[in-house]
Amino acid sequence: MTTVGTEAQPLRVAIIGSGPSAFYAADHLLKQSDLVIEVDMFDRLPTPFGLVRGGVAPDHQKIKTVTKAFNLVAKNPRFRFFGYVEYGKDLSHADLVEHYHQILYATGAQSDRHMGIPGEDLTNSFPATAFVAWYNGHPDYRHLQFDLSQERVAVVGVGNVAIDVARILCLSHEELARTDIADHALEALSKSNIKEVYLLGRRGPAQAAFTTPEVKELGELEEADVLAIPSEVALDDVSRAALEAGGDKAAQKKVELLQGYAERQPEGKKRRLIFRFLVSPTEVLGDSDGRVAGLRLAKNELYASDAGSIASRPTGESEDLPVGLVFRSVGYRGAPLVDVPFNERWGTFLNEKGRLIDPTSQQPKAGEYTAGWIKRGPSGVIGTNKPDAVETVQCMLEDVAAGQLLSPSHADRESIEKLVQVRQPNYVTFADWQRLDEIEIANGAATGRPRVKFTSIEDMLAAIGKNVTA
Ligand code: NAP
């Protein structure tokens, strides 16, 4: 029997998804000097990089430079990208098992969490994740329409996604026009009538999930006054004690910034961005046409829970906040994939340190792994996915040493390529993507933008001389 991981029989790995955790995992695999490893990466979109392209805000270009490192990974001759090839449609689980020794699922968190309150699905109530995907030109979301004729908007949640959404709603046309925001979003936002954006936190400022630089950035907006309510950003005893005991300088700075916003007087800018804390939406209120008319908010107080965290509970008071548009930004959620064990409660694949777990036997499924948000849930910044992916790859390498692999009958590069050619003749290679990338960048250069994104799969394929298939 040929030893797997040698020139004669490289270890063949399929990675499903091409976001940060997929590339970090590929990088770590290809860096192994004592094993010959070949990586094939698949994405259902023609474009790679997952959330770096579809999630990171268009005015945060610096964060996107991480793709330079991913490009270096893709240069390795043992790496191949198969874009526009969908797991579960073009390739099945059985196909992968037949062609690879190991399969790594890194499909991210494509869906959103719900608040579970009445009225959540009224017209003009949207998941923030859909708005983010829309302004970033994700092909699945390009046809969405958001009613930006409304004057008052609420963003529920105080994480970094909520901050991104609020900031994009408040940036001036000139600020947005310097970014790679999708053209359809640039045009729609240029006609926006929005005057007030509320960010709603159910706990206090010290517990807010957003990070300090992101809050600071809001205070520097050209066209929006940033405000907070003094009584809501004042520290309660429990939070003060926790902040002092924890010695968390960043959290202290965050609270100070928010308290500073509460002292600001509005300068009469075009828009207002207003932080609210200690309020939980209990109902999305509708008008007679089924459109959002407001949010019912329960007022909260904080207490130290038995679990050791600082939690909120209702005081019994409530208020109605009139808004015509609601974005719920209470977290992303992973979506299941056919033939991959899924934990419904957490919205992640069932795994231990990245090894997929068989739900019946509770034992690891030989040769199958996961990394990134679909492994651990939607937390952390892009770089957080590096140690996460490395942890999974360590398990993969241990299993190679222990001989715990799949037993593919066609463990060669050519067989899978031939199969992909049959199933999806228009698949996109990394070289194809690089051509598309160059075209987008050239189109942007003409108007001083980092790039102009293609937002439809048809246009992407046409630009690189391919035809669309159903
Ligand atoms: P997140 O950081 O987990 O924040 C979720 C927010 O929703 C929290 O404020 C949470 O409050 C609130 N929430 C949850 N359930 C709620 C409910 N039923 N009612 C009211 N509020 C509720 O999630 P995210 O903003 O989607 O971000 C995901 C990850 O991406 C984070 O790690 C984030 O830092 C990262 N990210 C980073 C950047 C950046 O670096 N610039 C940009 C975007 C995203 P509680 O704390 O009370 O649960």
Side-chain angles (χ1 to χ4, degrees):
M1 202 176 101
T2 324
T3 311
V4 173
T6 57
E7 288 292 346
Q9 178 54 76
L11 176 76
R12 305 262 311 127
V13 179
I15 301 183
I16 312 302
S18 65
S21 63
F23 269 98
Y24 287 130
D27 187 29
H28 201 58
L29 282 163
L30 293 167
K31 272 190 181 143
Q32 300 306 311
S33 52
D34 51 347
L35 282 175
V36 179
I37 302 180
E38 290 175 351
V39 173
D40 288 344
M41 190 180 280
F42 297 88
D43 201 295
R44 70 188 181 91
L45 292 180
T47 53
F49 307 143
L51 264 196
V52 178
R53 182 174 169 100
V56 173
D59 58 331
H60 281 176
Q61 287 298 316
K62 218 172 139 196
I63 299 180
K64 300 189 191 213
T65 54
V66 68
T67 57
K68 286 186 184 156
F70 300 159
N71 285 335
L72 289 179
V73 177
K75 264 193 174 170
N76 190 312
R78 294 205 173 101
F79 173 95
R80 292 188 301 186
F81 176 68
F82 291 93
Y84 195 41
V85 177
E86 186 170 345
Y87 172 90
K89 182 171 157 240
D90 302 314
L91 285 182
S92 68
H93 180 258
D95 293 328
L96 296 179
V97 168
E98 210 173 298
H99 290 87
Y100 294 96
H101 299 103
Q102 294 184 322
I103 308 165
L104 169 60
Y105 301 93
T107 46
Q110 298 164 31
S111 183
D112 65 288
R113 288 183 53 215
H114 287 241
M115 294 185 285
I117 60 171
E120 199 165 353
D121 296 320
L122 285 172
T123 305
N124 284 357
S125 167
F126 295 96
T129 54
F131 186 62
V132 169
W134 172 77
Y135 66 59
N136 276 327
H138 189 298
D140 292 355
Y141 296 85
R142 62 194 293 264
H143 297 296
L144 290 184
Q145 294 201 330
F146 298 93
D147 181 4
L148 303 175
S149 71
Q150 297 296 328
E151 290 195 0
R152 294 157 64 91
V153 184
V155 184
V156 182
V158 283
N160 280 332
V161 170
I163 294 257
D164 281 348
V165 167
R167 196 180 63 254
I168 294 296
L169 289 170
C170 288
L171 286 175
S172 68
H173 179 73
E174 291 65 36
E175 285 167 319
L176 286 173
R178 293 195 289 265
T179 74
D180 65 358
I181 191 167
D183 277 347
H184 55 243
L186 184 62
E187 200 201 327
L189 286 162
S190 74
K191 297 179 193 141
S192 163
N193 201 28
I194 291 170
K195 298 201 167 38
E196 288 183 2
V197 178
Y198 290 86
L199 273 161
L200 306 179
R202 61 179 167 183
R203 296 189 288 161
Q207 293 81 37
F210 47 59
T211 39
T212 308
E214 277 64 28
V215 195
K216 188 162 182 283
E217 192 181 3
L218 290 186
E220 293 151 10
L221 291 171
E222 269 175 25
E223 284 200 341
D225 282 314
V226 178
L227 308 167
I229 295 175
S231 60
E232 291 180 352
V233 292
L235 275 187
D236 61 301
D237 292 344
V238 183
S239 301
R240 181 178 297 108
L243 268 189
E244 281 167 10
D248 182 347
K249 291 259 177 334
Q252 286 167 6
K253 177 82 188 149
K254 193 159 66 179
V255 173
E256 280 166 26
L257 279 166
L258 290 161
Q259 290 174 341
Y261 295 157
E263 283 168 15
R264 283 192 184 183
Q265 293 302 317
E267 290 174 27
K269 293 184 181 176
K270 190 172 167 188
R271 298 193 172 99
R272 285 183 181 194
L273 199 161
I274 303 140
F275 282 97
R276 295 290 313 268
F277 290 99
L278 298 168
V279 286
S280 284
T282 54
E283 185 178 353
V284 184
L285 306 168
D287 64 14
S288 53
D289 296 326
R291 288 173 191 279
V292 171
L295 271 182
R296 180 148 299 155
L297 303 176
K299 299 206 180 186
N300 295 331
E301 61 183 8
L302 299 176
Y303 69 102
S305 76
D306 293 342
S309 62
I310 297 179
S312 62
R313 64 185 165 207
T315 61
E317 273 181 89
S318 72
E319 84 176 77
D320 288 351
L321 181 71
V323 288
L325 188 58
V326 169
F327 293 107
R328 62 166 185 270
S329 183
V330 297
Y332 281 75
R333 188 182 150 81
L337 278 187
V338 66
D339 294 324
V340 184
F342 189 66
N343 181 333
E344 270 300 333
R345 182 143 179 254
W346 294 101
T348 55
F349 291 151
L350 211 55
N351 78 94
E352 263 175 35
K353 292 187 179 172
R355 285 187 179 96
L356 284 193
I357 299 296
D358 183 311
T360 314
S361 67
Q362 293 294 313
Q363 295 300 310
K365 284 187 82 173
E368 298 197 53
Y369 306 87
T370 182
W373 276 8
I374 195 64
K375 166 187 170 187
R376 70 172 193 280
S379 66
V381 293
I382 285 170
T384 315
N385 292 297
K386 190 169 185 175
D388 176 296
V390 167
E391 179 188 58
T392 298
V393 171
Q394 283 311 122
C395 292
M396 295 168 78
L397 298 174
E398 279 170 26
D399 293 351
V400 174
Q404 301 285 330
L405 301 170
L406 296 167
S407 310
S409 47
H410 297 92
D412 62 287
R413 285 165 70 93
E414 294 71 30
S415 296
I416 187 71
E417 195 173 351
K418 278 188 195 143
L419 184 69
V420 172
Q421 271 162 358
V422 172
R423 301 277 179 78
Q424 182 43 277
N426 286 316
Y427 74 90
V428 171
T429 64
F430 207 77
D432 289 334
W433 151 246
Q434 285 176 314
R435 275 199 292 143
L436 198 62
D437 189 33
E438 277 167 19
I439 298 169
E440 287 192 342
I441 292 170
N443 288 346
T447 48
R449 303 177 63 188
R451 69 174 65 233
V452 174
K453 283 182 179 176
F454 288 102
T455 61
S456 92
I457 290 180
E458 290 83 348
D459 291 348
M460 290 177 193
L461 297 180
I464 50 173
K466 292 177 187 269
N467 300 313
V468 190
T469 51

